[in-house]
Amino acid sequence: MAATLFFWVCAVAAFFFGVGVIVARNPMYSALSLIGTFVATAGLFLLLHAEFLAWILIIVYTGAVMVLIIFVISLLNLQREDPVRLDTPRRWGIGLALFFGLIFLVYLFRDPSVGFEVTVPLTDNPAWGSPTSVARDLLTRYLIPFELAAVLLTAAVIGAVVLARKAEPEEKSGPEG
Amino acid sequence: MVSLNHYLLLSAVLFTLGVLGVMARKNALVILMSVELMLNAANLAIVAFIRYAPPLGGDAGLAYLQMAGNGMVFVFLILTVSAAEVGVGLAVVINLFRQRETVNIEIANLLKG
């Protein structure tokens, strides 16, 4: 039962790193915990035979997005900011109520008659989830959404640059500041 | 044996951890990371659903695969959107820091009624 063991290792790691994200006092530790969660999730994706997504998660998230976040944390130099405030019981109360409420909601669905006790995968085809099969879908059937994603990323890049650009001092030219 | 329920439960726990982070923290960067945690949990649930879709039986299952592809494209697009969200969100945080010298969301109350 190596697969079961692997699942539990990844699940427990993902959980504790997830807790680390929200309780760490230093945002840098939050970021590192988030990387841990992503790596654990990538492990679960591998277990689910979604190899392409697992590697994308590692490359795009821990390789690019988290580097961006860590870069911003270093740039803003936030050492003494925001200790976790346990003295805001209202916020923690609402959050914990949501936490246990949602967990309970999921627990209700353990009823086998609902049909989620599935252990048999949809397909045994080893090519399922490989980069080849995903790429075939992406570049034929879902070509338009793929291109739209490229447009979205371009728009996001432009938006980020415009937002983060240093505001120019007031000039006489143009209505735009 | 690991079933679909295990993945769904883990996904729900991670998602609610993200909700808890958004509710309880005041640091805009940590809130952004909590949102990422939620998106990640949603992705996990989707991949588990794709993998363990309710069994339709031999031919029906194959027909389903033919019709829908393997569904990974969906998660791929979510990853794209969340990457765009992080980029724009971090730009907003940097802007907030420039204006207020802090990323504490309690300070950013200009639009508060």
Side-chain angles (χ1 to χ4, degrees), chain A residues 22 24 41 44 47-48 53 61 82 91 94-95 99 102-103 117-118 122 128 133 137 141-142 163-164, chain B residues 4-5 7 10 13 16 20 23 25-27 36 40 50-51 66 68-70 72 79 82 95 98 106:
Chain A
I22 65 170
T41 313
L44 290 173
L47 196 59
L48 287 164
L53 289 177
Y61 268 87
D82 186 44
R91 285 164 164 270
I94 296 171
F99 185 86
L102 281 169
I103 298 298
E117 289 285 352
V118 193
L122 184 63
W128 186 88
S133 79
D137 267 2
R141 187 178 291 138
Y142 298 107
L163 275 173
Chain B
L4 176 58
N5 260 337
Y7 288 102
L10 175 64
V13 168
T16 43
L20 188 54
M23 295 299 295
R25 296 301 299 262
K26 292 192 168 59
N27 186 324
E36 288 302 303
N40 192 41
I50 296 170
R51 180 68 178 160
Q66 300 273 319
N70 63 18
M72 301 272 175
L79 288 179
S82 64
N95 234 347
R98 281 217 186 100
E106 298 273 297

Side-chain angles (χ1 to χ4, degrees), chain B residues 5-47:
Chain B
N5 260 337
H6 289 82
Y7 288 102
L8 294 185
L9 195 62
L10 175 64
S11 167
V13 168
L14 289 178
F15 187 90
T16 43
L17 278 177
V19 173
L20 188 54
V22 171
M23 295 299 295
R25 296 301 299 262
K26 292 192 168 59
N27 186 324
L29 283 164
V30 177
I31 289 177
L32 205 59
M33 285 188 255
S34 298
V35 172
E36 288 302 303
L37 199 58
M38 284 194 268
L39 281 163
N40 192 41
N43 280 340
L44 181 61
I46 292 171
V47 174

